Amino acid sequence: GGIYIEVPNNYRASQYDHTADDYIKKKLSDRIYKLTDGTLVQRDWYSSFLLYCYDYRTKDIDKNKCISEFDKCYFLTKVEIYRQCGRWTAW
């Protein structure tokens, strides 16, 4: 029920930090990292969130969508992890 969108190679979803509005290079071995506002995120989850925030018209990250949607998406993910595992995660 979704749509398929190819993103350009320069999208770099795994390196963008929406709290800094900047690209911050990370090692592939860094699976969990701290955004500049102190929030811990799991790399694959955060990359998928940033792909969710892709604006196919501008072919770039929709920074306003990142800001408006992050807290809700982060909370719902934590709730689902709790539902599945029966405990809160510290990632």
Side-chain angles (χ1 to χ4, degrees):
I3 59 173
Y4 173 81
I5 299 173
E6 286 192 35
V7 297
N9 290 338
N10 66 347
Y11 190 66
R12 302 183 296 166
S14 65
Q15 296 180 12
Y16 185 69
D17 180 336
H18 80 279
T19 64
D21 190 19
D22 197 8
Y23 291 88
I24 301 168
K25 188 146 178 74
K26 300 164 190 78
K27 296 184 289 185
L28 282 175
S29 61
D30 293 339
R31 305 314 300 161
I32 296 173
Y33 56 91
K34 190 181 293 190
L35 300 175
T36 57
D37 74 347
T39 304
L40 288 175
V41 292
Q42 197 277 339
R43 180 187 184 109
D44 296 332
W45 176 86
Y46 191 62
S47 291
S48 68
F49 169 75
L50 292 174
L51 288 166
Y52 165 71
C53 294
Y54 179 72
D55 184 335
Y56 64 91
R57 291 177 297 271
T58 65
K59 302 199 181 322
D60 201 359
I61 293 171
D62 182 340
K63 296 168 180 84
N64 292 324
K65 185 174 182 179
C66 287
I67 292 166
S68 68
E69 297 287 318
F70 180 78
D71 288 341
K72 177 182 74 169
C73 291
Y74 188 74
F75 175 76
L76 290 174
T77 300
K78 297 290 239 174
V79 167
E80 183 60 20
I81 291 170
Y82 181 78
R83 191 179 75 76
Q84 294 288 325
C85 300
R87 61 185 175 83
W88 290 108
T89 68
W91 43 280

